[in-house]
Each structure stands twice: as structure tokens, then as C-alpha cells.
């Protein structure tokens, strides 16, 4: 299997660790490099409800003989595990006949510690199955599973209709159908264990025994850890994925896009180990035997960190835009069936000042299609309906600014205002008209002067 010849023995073990993880084995980790005692990779599987340990010997050589298989058989017997155990020898080359015969005899005699042999040909078949790039020995991400991009029990535009429900002065029947786009974004769910003990002459000063799970955006460029709400959305719905069928989703959405995984599984594993190594590095203060206080930086070794699983899945990012007269309102969210995490809400945002937030009050202006906050929403004098300050025509009457849909309404009110008695004109400025008697008299006098009566 010459294509893997450039790898070192340790690098081959890294590759096989990823291979076994892809094949569905659990708790996959490498044994200590300094004293493997005939075992390189440790892992587990569950058969008929029984958990079994599997001890793997990796041999990056041309030929593997019987002594290697015998040594592994002894290592299995001494391996501490409460349950059945079996072994596996993996090589890029081939097994000698005596090695194959020894493994076959263990199987035929129902030995409690049987050993499976995987040679270069077997690895080629596995490569085709899981996407192993044999040229550089890296595990490419192959995934055709996605979280649901919409709730199958509701219309695809239901989230947008729900968002508009909070907007004053607009009815669902007045809304046009939004343009809906879904982009399937790659993410990986990484689960890793960190086990490290730090000792000095006074004993153990720090210990790490922690399982970490995080969701990573896995497009081109540097991996990015997902925000907590997005991570929760993915984690809670990993059990409910569906096939990524672009043709099927094209019947529901106007446009369908798919981003590819930007790195290999090996690279994500290395990135995760680096991140956890930095995360768990801390400085510990302790007192020595001489009663002197010391500070020690405790940084776990890379071998202390074992990536248990890297689960790829697509996370649908839905963008729906609604065009209403002069304005376009975007609403974007990550979807998982009926659940979603909003990433952009252009509906709960004033078009005039960018004030935003679902806790505020926003009103729809039927005159121009604007959604505006309370500071930019007024009452149209002639119609008595909302109008935004962006489109309204204004003029002062009774020393107070009035707002109109257009010049035609303004002209109509001018005529109406001209025919009003003085006391009614005064009521156009209710703040003054409702004040003191002196203020009211001053307003009336002012109006009389303006009207040329006195």
C-alpha cells in the first residue's frame, strides 16, 4: 500500500483512529506511546447489548508475522476491562501465512480473546466505504444527513408570518409570500475526553477528568465554535436528521445551496486537540515540602486528550425576504424542524434609525411599507391611521406639526381647517388647549392674529 509509505508509524495510528471512529466504534483513543505493551489503539463496541473492548495493534510495515499476533493475544489477556475483549491487527502490507493461521485457530477454538486481521486490501475496501484519501492518509468528510430545514407540519413561510405577528397595523393577509432560500451549512459535533494528572514531590496538585462536547462550523477557513444557542439546536436534533435531498427541498424553497466541508476529519481532530489543550492549561499554586509557595503551569499533553467522535451534519440556514412596497425585510435563522435560532431579524427593526429588538413596539406604515419604532411613527391627521416620519408630508397647524400621507391629504385638511371655528382650531394643539386658561387664551389670540381677525 505504497500510497501510505510517507506516513510515520505514529501518523498511521492517527489515521486508523479516525478510520475506526468513522466505522462507528466508541471511545476510540490511542494508548500511551511510551509503553503500549502491544496495543496502539483502544476502542469499544456494543454487540447484542454487551459492551466489548477491542485492542488494536497498528503495523506500518510490508509484512506482519505470527509473533505480532501472539504478542497482541497476550496483551489482550492482561488488559483491564470488565467484559469481553478481542483484538485486531491492522497493516498497510500483508500477513504471513503463520500469522493468518494463528488468528484463524483462535477463531475456530472459540478463544475468549479472538483476533481479527486487516491487511492493505481490507483497508482499500474500507477507504471506499468511508472516504479515506489513500494518497495522503486523511479522512475526508462525507455526509448526506441534515437537520430538517423546515417544519413538515407547517408552511415554509410560517416563521416569517409569526415574526410579522408582533408588528402593529399589519395583517397576515396583507403580506406577500416571502422569497425563501436555504443553504446547508456543514458543522461537526466533536466529543473528546481529557484525562491528565499533574504531580510534584508533594503529590498530585491538579487533575483533569472531563468530557467536552462542542459544535463547530466546518466551512472553509479556520473552524469556529458555534454559539451556545446554535450548539443546543444541533445537539438536541442530531437524532432527527433526514437525507439531504436538494431536489426534494427545491420543491419547497425558491433556492437551495450547499456548502462543502472545508477540512478533513484529521484536521478537525487536530484542531480540537489544540483547542482543548489550550482550554485546560492553567496555573496552579501549591506549597512545597520546604513550605515555599510555587506556581506551576499545568498543560495537558496531546496524548491526554482523546477525541471520541466527530459527527458531521448539515445545519440548514434559511433566509426569507419579504418585499413590501419600498422596503425589503430579511429574516434569517438556523433551522431544525419546528425549532430555530434567529441570526438576523430585519422585521423587528426601525427602517429609519435601526432601533431593533423584539421587546420594542414597531408599527407598519401602509403609505410606504415602512416598519418604524414609536419615535418614527405618527398618526395621519386626515385618515387617523399610522404614518411614518420618513414618508409623511408635514405642516404646522395651531402651532403643532401635523402628518399626512401626501399633498392631496394635506390640501384637503387645509380646506377643512380653514372652515373650523376658532375653538376647534385650538383643539388641534391639545397640549396647549388642555393646559391653563392663560395658555388657551394666548393660543386663541395667536390664531386670531394668524387668521387676520384682530
Amino acid at each position: 500500500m505504497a500510497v501510505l509509505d510517507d506516513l510515520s508509524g505514529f501518523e498511521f495510528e492517527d489515521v486508523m483512529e479516525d478510520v475506526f471512529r468513522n466505522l462507528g466504534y466508541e471511545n476510540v483513543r490511542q494508548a500511551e506511546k511510551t509503553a503500549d505493551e502491544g496495543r496502539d489503539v483502544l476502542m469499544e463496541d456494543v454487540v447484542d447489548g454487551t459492551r466489548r473492548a477491542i485492542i488494536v495493534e497498528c503495523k506500518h510495515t510490508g509484512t506482519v508475522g505470527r509473533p505480532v499476533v501472539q504478542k497482541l493475544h497476550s496483551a489482550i489477556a492482561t488488559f483491564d476491562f470488565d467484559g469481553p475483549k478481542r483484538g485486531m491487527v491492522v497493516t498497510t502490507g500483508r500477513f504471513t501465512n503463520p500469522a493468518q493461521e494463528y488468528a484463524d485457530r483462535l477463531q475456530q477454538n472459540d478463544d475468549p480473546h479472538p483476533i481479527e486481521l486487516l491487511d492493505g486490501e481490507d483497508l482499500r475496501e474500507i477507504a471506499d466505504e468511508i472516504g479515506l484519501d489513500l494518497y495522503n492518509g486523511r479522512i475526508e468528510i462525507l455526509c448526506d444527513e441534515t437537520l430538517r430545514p423546515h417544519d413538515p407540519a407547517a408552511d415554509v413561510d410560517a416563521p416569517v408570518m409569526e415574526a410579522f405577528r408582533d408588528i402593529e397595523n399589519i395583517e397576515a393577509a396583507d403580506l406577500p409570500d416571502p422569497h425563501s432560500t436555504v443553504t446547508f451549512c456543514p458543522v461537526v459535533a466533536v466529543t473528546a475526553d481529557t484525562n491528565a494528572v499533574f504531580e510534584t514531590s508533594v503529590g498530585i496538585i491538579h487533575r483533569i477528568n472531563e468530557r467536552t462536547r462542542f459544535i463547530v462550523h466546518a466551512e472553509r477557513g479556520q473552524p469556529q465554535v458555534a454559539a451556545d444557542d446554535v450548539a443546543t439546536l444541533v445537539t438536541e436534533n442530531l437524532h432527527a436528521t433526514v437525507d439531504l435531498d436538494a431536489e426534494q427541498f427545491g420543491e419547497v424553497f425558491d433556492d437551495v445551496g450547499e456548502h462543502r466541508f472545508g477540512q478533513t476529519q484529521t484536521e478537525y481532530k487536530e484542531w480540537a486537540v489544540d483547542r482543548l489543550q489550550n482550554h485546560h492549561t492553567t496555573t496552579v499554586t501549591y506549597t512545597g515540602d520546604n513550605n515555599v509557595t510555587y506556581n506551576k503551569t499545568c498543560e495537558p499533553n496531546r496524548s491526554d486528550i482523546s477525541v471520541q467522535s466527530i459527527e458531521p451534519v448539515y445545519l440548514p440556514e434559511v433566509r426569507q425576504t419579504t418585499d413590501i412596497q419600498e422596503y425589503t425585510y430579511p429574516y434569517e435563522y438556523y433551522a431544525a424542524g419546528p425549532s430555530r435560532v434567529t441570526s438576523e431579524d430585519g422585521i423587528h427593526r426601525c427602517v429609519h434609525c435601526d432601533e431593533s429588538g423584539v421587546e420594542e413596539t414597531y408599527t407598519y406604515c401602509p403609505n410606504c411599507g415602512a416598519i418604524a419604532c414609536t419615535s418614527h411613527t405618527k398618526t395621519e391627521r386626515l385618515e387617523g391611521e399610522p404614518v411614518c416620519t420618513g414618508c409623511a408630508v408635514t405642516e404646522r397647524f395651531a402651532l403643532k406639526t401635523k402628518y399626512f400621507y401626501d399633498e392631496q391629504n394635506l390640501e384637503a385638511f387645509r380646506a377643512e381647517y380653514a372652515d373650523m371655528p376658532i375653538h376647534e382650531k385650538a383643539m388641534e394643539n391639545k397640549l396647549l388647549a388642555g393646559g391653563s386658561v392663560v395658555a388657551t387664551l394666548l393660543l386663541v389670540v395667536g390664531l386670531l392674529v394668524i387668521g387676520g381677525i384682530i
Side-chain angles (χ1 to χ4, degrees), residues 23 31 74 136 184 193 195 211 261 267 278 286 323 343 378 401 443 447:
L23 290 173
S74 298
N136 56 25
F184 293 96
D193 288 338
N195 294 283
R211 169 159 288 194
F261 286 85
E267 289 167 326
N278 292 332
Y286 69 96
D323 295 323
S343 54
K378 304 297 179 181
T401 301
L443 175 60
L447 291 173

Side-chain angles (χ1 to χ4, degrees), residues 157-385:
D157 59 356
V160 171
M161 298 299 105
E162 181 179 334
F164 272 109
R165 196 175 301 150
D166 296 336
I167 307 302
E168 302 285 341
N169 199 46
I170 193 169
E171 300 294 333
D174 299 329
L175 293 171
D177 292 334
H179 182 275
S180 299
T181 299
V182 60
T183 302
F184 293 96
C185 304
V187 298
V188 290
V190 180
T191 302
D193 288 338
T194 305
N195 294 283
V197 176
F198 302 89
E199 295 184 78
T200 68
S201 60
V202 298
I204 296 175
I205 61 170
H206 185 56
R207 186 191 301 270
I208 305 171
N209 184 8
E210 181 177 315
R211 169 159 288 194
T212 306
R213 184 179 178 88
F214 47 90
I215 305 299
V216 182
H217 292 289
E219 299 183 34
R220 289 183 181 272
Q222 181 70 11
Q224 299 291 328
V225 177
D228 290 345
D229 52 357
V230 176
T232 299
L233 179 74
V234 174
T235 301
E236 291 183 349
N237 291 278
L238 274 176
H239 67 285
T241 59
V242 296
D243 291 339
L244 201 169
D245 187 335
E247 183 176 343
Q248 174 188 347
F249 294 132
E251 298 175 359
V252 179
F253 293 91
D254 298 305
D255 295 300
V256 177
E258 178 183 340
H259 292 171
R260 307 307 304 172
F261 286 85
Q263 299 189 42
T264 67
Q265 188 175 103
T266 301
E267 289 167 326
Y268 288 122
K269 185 194 77 172
E270 293 300 315
W271 174 85
V273 171
D274 288 340
R275 181 177 183 273
L276 289 171
Q277 192 175 29
N278 292 332
H279 172 73
H280 287 296
T281 298
T282 186
T283 299
V284 175
T285 301
Y286 69 96
T287 302
D289 294 329
N290 55 0
N291 289 325
V292 175
T293 299
Y294 296 94
N295 292 323
K296 179 178 175 60
T297 298
C298 298
E299 179 182 23
N301 296 319
R302 296 180 64 83
S303 59
D304 295 329
I305 302 169
S306 175
V307 176
Q308 299 301 311
S309 64
I310 299 177
E311 301 174 73
V313 71
Y314 281 99
L315 173 63
E317 186 174 31
V318 179
R319 182 175 179 84
Q320 298 180 300
T321 53
T322 307
D323 295 323
I324 308 178
Q325 298 189 56
E326 301 175 19
Y327 297 92
T328 297
Y329 298 99
Y331 188 66
E332 191 168 299
Y333 54 91
Y334 292 111
S339 303
R340 64 182 181 274
V341 172
T342 302
S343 54
E344 181 185 3
D345 184 355
I347 298 172
H348 294 89
R349 179 188 300 145
C350 177
V351 300
H352 301 303
C353 69
D354 277 342
E355 179 177 331
S356 61
V358 295
E359 302 300 324
E360 305 297 329
T361 298
Y362 301 92
T363 303
Y364 170 69
C365 173
N367 195 47
C368 67
I371 292 176
C373 66
T374 53
S375 298
H376 291 90
T377 299
K378 304 297 179 181
T379 299
E380 210 274 355
R381 174 59 185 84
L382 203 63
E383 305 290 343
E385 295 294 331

Side-chain angles (χ1 to χ4, degrees), residues 411-429:
E411 190 61 35
F413 183 73
R414 283 175 182 157
E416 181 181 313
Y417 184 79
D419 293 337
M420 287 182 183
I422 291 297
H423 70 279
E424 289 187 13
K425 290 181 177 179
M427 290 302 296
E428 290 300 318
N429 193 335

